[in-house]
Amino acid sequence: MATYTSERVTAVQHWSERLFSFRTTRSTALRFESGQFVMVGLDLGEGQKVVRAYSIASPPYEDELEFYSIIAPNGPLTTRLQHVKPGESVLVSTKPTGTLVLRDLRPGRRLFLLATGTGIAPFAALIRDLDVYERFEQVVLVRGGRTCKDLAYGDAVLGSLRSSPYLGELAQRQLLDYPSVTRESFARVGRITRFLATGAICTDLGIAPLDPRSDRIMICGNMRMLAQARELLDALGFEMSPGIGVPGDYVIERAFVEAVGGRTPEKARTRQLVGVS
Ligand SMILES: Cc1cc2nc3c(=O)[nH]c(=O)nc-3n(C[C@H](O)[C@H](O)[C@H](O)COP(=O)(O)OP(=O)(O)OC[C@H]3O[C@@H](n4cnc5c(N)ncnc54)[C@H](O)[C@@H]3O)c2cc1C
Ligand SMILES: NC(=O)c1ccc[n+]([C@@H]2O[C@H](COP(=O)([O-])OP(=O)(O)OC[C@H]3O[C@@H](n4cnc5c(N)ncnc54)[C@H](OP(=O)(O)O)[C@@H]3O)[C@@H](O)[C@H]2O)c1
């Protein structure tokens, strides 16, 4: 049974009618690695709470936690959470976990972070983490949204990162951004899986093609995107990390696949984990 602390919301920002981010206080006991997720939710009273898995979007060195959220139509949590205001409380589980972690990637020269929609959340933590720039010479953030508004949170994270006195210079030198949208006109229109399949990511950025000997990859998005990206990477000779503690050429969030796709015996446990109680 997960245990929770009650954290105070310190800021809320709405990016569109379906996306918002919020910050909360952080228990001094909470330790996590960039890329991990926790359960976040609301106390409904009378012993009831509604909790869902959320990637921590802020880096481990910050005093507060940041989360980036969808507003799912009729979603038990987000139809309520979208109205949260500074000063109110949310529940945050005490044991972060997850497989989108640097330690499960083999050593490499370049790191590609492939995200659709709110899948940018774990990468918002990673691109603000010094470890990433120490471990990789180059970091390429490939992010896709339906519309330009879907890119606004990522734009803001990148903007403040590039002007940050702490990591700004490293990010300017080592971090490349590859944004795209699918449902309106923009400088780059199309799904990120197409750009992966055609090799456009590297040709457009003027960098060498993907190479399993030196490139490492993290993927976060919906189930079909994960499956298609995996197929493309496997065909190029990349090997996925099979689980926590066993490094590979690329990682995905296995808890997400198990919760949504139900491929493993852990399915039932994870379904419980993300449910209403
Ligand atoms: C490991 C893990 C990490 C996650 N991290 C995040 C995160 O950082 N930010 C976030 O917004 N969500 C994240 N999710 C999804 C999140 O747990 C909830 O599903 C989401 O907050 C909606 O909750 P709900 O109760 O309102 O609706 P649910 O009943 O949980 O979902 C209703 C429907 O909405 C759609 N949906 C749910 N989440 C999303 C999403 N993020 N983007 C697009 N469609 C969605 C799905 O079709 C789903 O069936 C994560 C899920 C997992 C398993
Ligand atoms: N740690 C984690 O595991 C974690 C963290 C955060 C979020 N998530 C998950 O990430 C997912 C985000 O949803 P979403 O990306 O579907 O959001 P979305 O807002 O519905 O779509 C975002 C973009 O992804 C594109 N897309 C849809 N299917 C695709 C596919 N098969 N291949 C490539 N691109 C595709 C969409 O293109 P179209 O316009 O053409 O549809 C759109 O441009 C959710 O399922 C959420 O739960 C997981």
Side-chain angles (χ1 to χ4, degrees), residues 13 16 22 26 50 54 60 66 81 116 120 148 155 171 173 182 188 227 238 248 253 262-263 268 276:
Q13 185 156 4
S16 70
F22 58 100
R26 170 181 175 180
V50 55
Y54 272 85
E66 183 172 295
L81 191 63
T116 53
I120 193 175
C148 297
D155 292 344
R173 225 178 13 244
T182 45
R188 190 174 297 109
F238 287 89
E253 182 48 75
R263 286 193 194 161
V276 183

Side-chain angles (χ1 to χ4, degrees), residues 18 55 116 118 145-146 182-183 191 193 222 228 253 256:
R18 57 190 286 273
S55 294
T116 53
T118 55
R146 295 181 184 183
T182 45
R183 300 193 191 184
R191 287 184 162 188
T193 40
N222 72 54
Q228 288 161 4
E253 182 48 75
F256 179 69

